[in-house]
Amino acid sequence: MALTKDKVLKGLAAFLPGIFLLGFNIGTGSVTAMAKAGASYGMSLLWTIVASCLTTYFMINLYSRYTLVTGETALQAFRKHIHPAVGIFFIVALTAGVMGSVMGVMGIVADICYEWSKSFVAGGISPVVFAAFFISLVYFIFWKGKTQFFERALAVIVAIMSVCFVANFFILMPPPVEIIKGLIPNMPQLPVDEGRGPFLVIASLVGTTVFSGLFIIRTTLVKEAGWTLKDSKAQRKDAIVAVSLMFIISMSIMAAAAGTLYLEGISLTRASQMIELLEPLAGPLATGIFACGIIAAGVSSQIPNVLMLPWLLCDYNQSEREMTLPKYRIMVFLISLLGLVVPIFDARPVFVMIVSQAFNAVILPATVLCIFYLGNRKDLMGAYRNGKVTNGILLLILLFSIFTSVVGVRGVWQLIGG
């Protein structure tokens, strides 16, 4: 029995880095972006998720390979082989994006819980109470200070999230033919009630899936796991599992909105609408499952979100990642408090999240250019430097990332300009 248990734990440990990435990637930002796309355009933007997931897998492998070959993390490489300012740029840019995400995540989770609590308590429980509870929960998990504890806590939360969203897919899925049509690249027409087009939604879909922070943190996890070139196969398997689940969960969320809100012609302006509108359309079971999925997604993404800045600083300075140090505990506490901004000031969490995810898409071209440069350095990569096919794919990803950056900026400008 002990041997079997050891095998199970060893097998789970092999996939913990990928589970950590999945928890990082699938948060309320993803839920908001996918639900917004499904409610506004049905399954017609499913091809964007496919392209984003394939891009994510390719980039995860490239950045991981660099670490497997050189033993250096991404930020260490930027600082040493490009310029220290490049590393600082990524720390500042990713932290800015994460701060927006922290505000949006807790805002959406609190809004969902408030709306759902109306079914049990007259008038509902204040969103501020829920935000404070989940902020405290995440901070408690952080207080333990060990990466292995973070990863195992995430594994449980991600499992709950996955089951919830996949179950909802089968309950609320649109006609299969619509799913198949969505795999064909197209630019859907504007919904009748919107004048901004799909530009910002596409950028947010890409920004929440092809997230630069994933690739940079991935190199840290690979190095911490002690993986070398002999572990290339294990690294690829881990990446395949993570990205496959990213696609399944993202598609499930989009399908839930497409199979209900889109068919009813209802536009999504805030995440809690899913709770308000799903119950009469799909019943309390589907509503409850979806709410649990969103809460799990919010908590799973909030853990790596609050860890981002201290981890990046440790990585850049090549210092020990000791999260129990007072300076890091204060740093994470202050970042966590941002989660109260949306509930207290009654801001628009969907707006905050979509703009935040679109901002992430703008960072992507720099991420692609950096690995293009590092991956072609013979003195660093030797026989493992990029080949012609790899460079060709990177060029296509760069063009794609520039496109999403442009439409993201354009979409935000149109949103602000009214």
Side-chain angles (χ1 to χ4, degrees):
M1 179 67 72
L3 182 62
T4 303
K5 182 180 178 182
D6 288 342
K7 284 184 177 180
V8 170
L9 291 175
K10 187 176 179 181
L12 177 62
F15 292 103
L16 284 178
I19 291 172
F20 191 91
L21 290 186
L22 184 63
F24 204 164
N25 185 270
I26 304 294
T28 50
S30 293
V31 173
T32 302
M34 305 304 165
K36 176 68 175 174
S40 298
Y41 305 104
M43 298 301 292
S44 60
L45 290 178
L46 182 60
W47 64 271
T48 307
I49 300 177
V50 175
S52 298
C53 286
L54 290 175
T55 301
T56 298
Y57 175 71
F58 183 77
M59 293 292 290
I60 284 176
N61 277 317
L62 270 191
Y63 269 92
S64 297
R65 185 177 69 174
Y66 179 85
T67 300
L68 293 176
V69 172
T70 67
E72 297 174 342
T73 65
L75 281 183
Q76 291 168 8
F78 298 160
R79 179 177 182 175
K80 184 177 178 181
H81 304 298
I82 302 178
H83 194 279
V86 175
I88 293 172
F89 162 76
F90 276 101
I91 292 174
V92 173
L94 291 174
T95 300
V98 160
M99 288 170 71
S101 182
V102 167
M103 288 189 281
V105 163
M106 279 299 104
I108 289 173
V109 168
D111 201 26
I112 289 290
C113 290
Y114 165 66
E115 208 58 50
W116 196 26
S117 70
K118 290 180 180 178
S119 303
F120 314 103
V121 178
I125 300 171
S126 171
V128 178
V129 173
F130 284 112
F133 170 76
F134 286 113
I135 287 171
S136 300
L137 174 63
V138 170
Y139 196 73
F140 168 76
I141 294 172
F142 159 76
W143 193 265
K144 294 292 182 180
K146 299 294 182 183
T147 302
Q148 191 178 53
F149 182 79
F150 301 149
E151 290 176 336
R152 288 182 177 176
L154 271 177
V156 174
I157 299 168
V158 165
I160 294 171
M161 173 183 68
S162 302
V163 169
C164 288
F165 285 134
V166 172
N168 250 67
F169 171 75
F170 289 106
I171 296 173
L172 305 173
M173 66 180 289
V177 67
E178 295 301 319
I179 298 175
I180 295 172
K181 285 181 180 179
L183 295 172
I184 303 171
N186 70 97
M187 189 63 70
Q189 297 201 351
L190 294 172
V192 176
D193 62 339
E194 294 189 17
R196 301 183 182 102
F199 298 115
L200 185 58
V201 175
I202 289 176
S204 63
L205 288 176
V206 175
T208 192
T209 307
V210 192
F211 176 39
S212 297
L214 279 181
F215 316 132
I216 292 171
I217 292 295
R218 174 68 171 187
T219 62
T220 303
L221 295 173
V222 166
K223 185 173 182 177
E224 191 169 86
W227 286 349
T228 60
L229 280 171
K230 64 182 177 63
D231 300 298
S232 295
K233 189 174 181 181
Q235 188 282 134
R236 285 194 297 271
K237 281 183 179 179
D238 179 70
I240 288 172
V241 170
V243 173
S244 297
L245 286 173
M246 283 179 198
F247 173 74
I248 292 170
I249 295 172
S250 298
M251 180 185 67
S252 299
I253 298 166
M254 180 181 283
T260 53
L261 307 187
Y262 179 71
L263 293 180
E264 296 292 325
I266 301 170
S267 177
L268 186 69
T269 58
R270 68 185 196 281
S272 61
Q273 275 185 292
M274 290 292 287
I275 302 301
E276 296 172 30
L277 300 169
L278 274 182
E279 186 152 359
L281 293 174
L285 176 62
T287 304
I289 292 173
F290 191 80
C292 289
I294 291 182
I295 293 167
V299 175
S300 72
S301 63
Q302 196 76 338
I303 295 172
N305 273 344
V306 298
L307 286 170
M308 173 71 87
L309 180 56
W311 275 21
L312 291 177
L313 291 174
C314 290
D315 190 4
Y316 184 78
N317 295 317
Q318 298 187 48
S319 58
E320 180 128 14
R321 201 162 68 192
E322 183 51 73
M323 294 294 103
T324 57
L325 293 177
K327 62 180 179 181
Y328 295 134
R329 285 181 166 173
I330 292 171
M331 194 180 295
V332 170
F333 178 72
L334 293 175
I335 292 173
S336 298
L337 287 180
L338 292 173
L340 294 172
V341 170
V342 171
I344 289 176
F345 296 101
D346 198 25
R348 294 166 54 197
V350 169
F351 173 80
V352 172
M353 286 304 303
I354 290 182
V355 171
S356 172
Q357 300 306 330
F359 179 75
N360 288 332
V362 177
I363 309 172
L364 186 58
T367 312
V368 177
L369 286 171
C370 284
I371 198 61
F372 181 88
Y373 172 74
L374 294 170
N376 281 290
R377 286 272 298 263
K378 188 175 182 180
D379 59 323
L380 296 175
M381 300 298 290
Y384 296 95
R385 67 176 176 168
N386 295 349
K388 291 182 179 178
V389 174
T390 298
N391 284 331
I393 295 173
L394 270 178
L395 179 60
L396 290 175
I397 293 174
L398 178 62
L399 294 175
F400 181 62
S401 66
I402 291 172
F403 165 74
T404 57
S405 295
V406 171
V407 299
V409 171
R410 179 179 171 182
V412 171
W413 179 260
Q414 290 177 334
L415 194 63
I416 293 172

